[in-house]
Amino acid sequence: KMANPIVVFTTDKGAFEAEIYCDKMPITAGNFVSLVKEGFYDGLHFHRVIKDFMLQFGCPHAKDPKNPANGTGGPKPKTTYEVPGQGQKSRDGTGSIPDEHTHKISNEPFTLSMANAGPDSGGSQFFVNTVHNAFLDFFDKSTDSAHPVFGKVVTGMDVVKAIESVRCDQNDNPLAPVKMISVRVK
């Protein structure tokens, strides 16, 4: 059995590393690792940061930290990604992947979770939980929110906390942009 990959996130505020759950969440993790290997995330900015909640990242429009379209983008439609043990899959006509509601992994502090705009709309955007956001779990029926967890920060929690505490505007966009220099599989 292959060990889960560790991905290194290098930001202009320091680096953090996360284990990506290819074993439990092969579709979500495979989509993410494929984007990492393409360099999709390099040079993007965190477009939504909410203290005591989460840091959201991964919109391609966020190369420009002040682009009003930030939060609306994703992978190109019909592009392919590698699913561990299952081979190549295609994203749908909106660039999205199917929801993977298989393993009940809660949105605990420092977990990585897919952002979405409803069912089967996940693409490249994800967030790092900074508190336990159980109401975002697909198996918590208190809200309609359903965000599958696909990894967890294993080093650099202080960097996550530093990004969490930046000052933001009324749209939760950091006043001083926080840039992702690179994302690489270790």
Side-chain angles (χ1 to χ4, degrees), residues 65-85:
K66 302 300 177 190
N67 184 334
N70 286 347
T72 64
K76 289 185 172 44
K78 303 288 186 191
T79 47
T80 59
Y81 60 103
E82 187 75 30
V83 178

Side-chain angles (χ1 to χ4, degrees), residues 34-47:
S34 292
L35 291 168
V36 168
K37 288 179 174 171
E38 289 165 24
F40 185 94
Y41 294 113
D42 298 358
L44 303 184
H45 296 82
F46 285 87
H47 66 271

Side-chain angles (χ1 to χ4, degrees), residues 127-161:
F127 54 92
V128 181
N129 288 293
T130 59
V131 295
H132 191 179
N133 293 312
F135 70 96
L136 298 179
D137 297 340
F138 70 85
F139 48 91
D140 176 323
K141 299 304 177 196
S142 67
T143 71
D144 289 337
S145 297
H147 298 275
V149 170
F150 65 94
K152 187 167 188 178
V153 176
V154 291
T155 68
M157 284 81 159
D158 56 322
V159 175
V160 171
K161 293 310 259 182

Side-chain angles (χ1 to χ4, degrees), residues 17-37:
E17 297 182 356
E19 177 186 356
I20 306 303
Y21 299 153
C22 287
D23 57 345
K24 294 188 178 79
M25 304 294 285
I27 295 169
T28 312
N31 172 68
F32 173 73
V33 170
S34 292
L35 291 168
V36 168
K37 288 179 174 171

Side-chain angles (χ1 to χ4, degrees), residues 25 55 91 156:
M25 304 294 285
L55 325 175
R91 297 180 183 97

Side-chain angles (χ1 to χ4, degrees), residues 152-173:
K152 187 167 188 178
V153 176
V154 291
T155 68
M157 284 81 159
D158 56 322
V159 175
V160 171
K161 293 310 259 182
I163 296 168
E164 179 192 25
S165 40
V166 299
R167 290 185 52 225
C168 294
D169 66 18
Q170 69 281 2
N171 298 314
D172 306 311
N173 185 262

